[in-house]
Amino acid sequence: ANSKEHAAVTYAAADEEYDPTLSGELKPLQAAQMEELPWEGPRNACQKRVMAHRALFEVKKPKAVLNFGVGSPEFVATMMASHGHQNPDLKGFMATVESGVWGGVPQGGLRFGTSTGFEAIVPTSTMMDFYVGGGIDYAFLGVGEADACGNVNVSNFAGRVPGVGGFADISANAKTLIFTATLTCGNLVTKVEDGKLIIVQEGSIQKFKKKIDEITFPSTSQGHRRVCFVTERCVMELRNQRLVLTELANGMSVDDVFNNMEFKPDVAENLKTYDPRIFQR
């Protein structure tokens, strides 16, 4: 048999040959040696890095169980590996993925569902039982589109039907929800200079809309849980089925947010700014 054909661990092109870090045979490099998310480059590197760095500060409980969904949350997992020491509450956290992986650094793209340096793998059904039972302290989930009431669509948007996956069970039962996304998409270009975020080219597609095509997470299910939306330029919290702007990235104004949404969220009285360490190059 062809060794390459039968050695692939994922569908990613880079995994045509066997990767022992995904099977647990070889431990990956330590965090201090890991390659960081780039500031420039493909896949909207700068805004994803800023968004992910801000998101890691949402964990406020040591030894928390975290879940990382598909898409933008993969960047949060990577930033935690390289910059997690900046948040003392990340001490002893346990990363999980719905496929059944415990520990390590969750992977993204076509590698989603795997982790490097993991500690255990359980059946997906067992992991979902744990999730439905309320085992997740903090869930980092992506956003296809969201509306003013805080409803989120990840299952049917922009002519695509990626489906629900584990999103419904996770978002319904995690103790805290952190939705991560860029405010706009479609050729959005940003950069960081002098400790500030600069929009070089605005995205052509707005993600926060008056009406979304489908509701995958209904904001009515919030209960007493903290639910927030972290983007590259702002943080919004869900309060009484309304989005409230609570924090701005350094260099951003309220207009930089409002002008790129189809609705205007409420604004918190004590509007905060991002931790300056996020913009240190």
Side-chain angles (χ1 to χ4, degrees):
N2 184 306
S3 60
K4 278 192 175 183
E5 178 183 348
H6 294 281
V9 182
T10 76
Y11 291 106
D15 291 330
E16 286 186 0
E17 297 186 15
Y18 174 64
D19 184 345
T21 67
L22 296 180
S23 68
E25 182 179 352
L26 181 66
K27 291 294 183 183
L29 296 173
Q30 296 299 312
Q33 300 170 284
M34 290 182 64
E35 183 177 351
E36 294 183 10
L37 283 176
W39 284 102
E40 291 89 17
R43 302 194 70 187
N44 313 314
C46 180
Q47 55 261 35
K48 291 292 180 67
R49 179 183 172 119
V50 171
M51 172 205 69
H53 201 161
R54 171 59 189 82
L56 69 82
F57 289 111
E58 283 299 315
V59 176
K60 304 179 190 303
K61 171 187 172 182
K63 299 182 179 180
V65 175
L66 315 181
N67 164 264
F68 296 92
V70 68
S72 56
E74 69 191 64
F75 297 94
V76 183
T78 303
M79 284 302 292
M80 282 186 180
S82 60
H83 289 70
H85 61 277
Q86 294 181 351
N87 180 359
D89 286 330
L90 278 172
K91 183 177 181 181
F93 76 88
M94 176 63 71
T96 69
V97 185
E98 64 194 67
S99 58
V101 183
W102 287 80
V105 182
Q107 302 296 288
L110 292 175
R111 279 186 150 198
F112 178 74
T114 66
S115 293
T116 59
F118 63 86
E119 297 185 27
I121 297 179
V122 301
T124 302
S125 57
T126 302
M127 183 66 89
M128 294 308 296
D129 284 343
F130 175 74
Y131 286 173
V132 172
I136 303 171
D137 293 308
Y138 297 87
F140 293 88
L141 300 170
V143 177
E145 55 183 11
D147 65 18
C149 295
N151 298 308
V152 178
N153 175 16
V154 299
S155 49
N156 183 1
F157 58 93
R160 300 166 52 204
V161 188
V164 177
F167 182 94
D169 290 318
I170 294 167
S171 62
N173 296 286
K175 297 180 181 72
T176 301
L177 298 178
I178 302 106
F179 291 105
T180 59
T182 53
L183 195 71
T184 65
C185 60
N187 300 314
L188 171 65
V189 180
T190 63
K191 64 179 181 179
V192 167
E193 285 185 357
D194 300 322
K196 296 179 180 180
L197 180 68
I198 298 171
I199 308 297
V200 178
Q201 176 178 290
E202 190 56 76
S204 59
I205 301 172
Q206 295 183 358
K207 286 198 165 193
F208 291 83
K209 302 179 177 182
K210 291 181 180 178
K211 184 178 180 180
I212 58 180
D213 293 336
E214 191 167 273
I215 296 176
T216 324
F217 166 74
S219 61
T220 52
S221 69
Q222 177 183 14
H224 298 292
R225 298 181 295 168
R226 172 173 167 77
V227 178
C228 68
F229 294 75
V230 177
T231 77
E232 80 288 355
R233 66 188 89 180
C234 70
V235 174
M236 291 174 282
E237 292 182 10
L238 180 59
R239 299 178 182 174
N240 301 316
Q241 289 186 259
R242 284 286 301 174
L243 290 187
V244 180
L245 180 66
T246 60
E247 199 167 332
L248 285 173
N250 304 16
M252 292 291 99
S253 67
V254 171
D255 287 340
D256 289 320
V257 175
F258 285 1
N259 291 344
N260 294 286
M261 303 172 67
E262 291 185 1
F263 60 88
K264 291 185 178 181
D266 298 333
V267 180
E269 292 182 3
N270 56 335
L271 194 59
K272 301 177 182 178
T273 56
Y274 281 18
D275 189 310
R277 291 175 293 181
I278 295 171
F279 306 96
Q280 290 175 356
R281 301 198 52 162

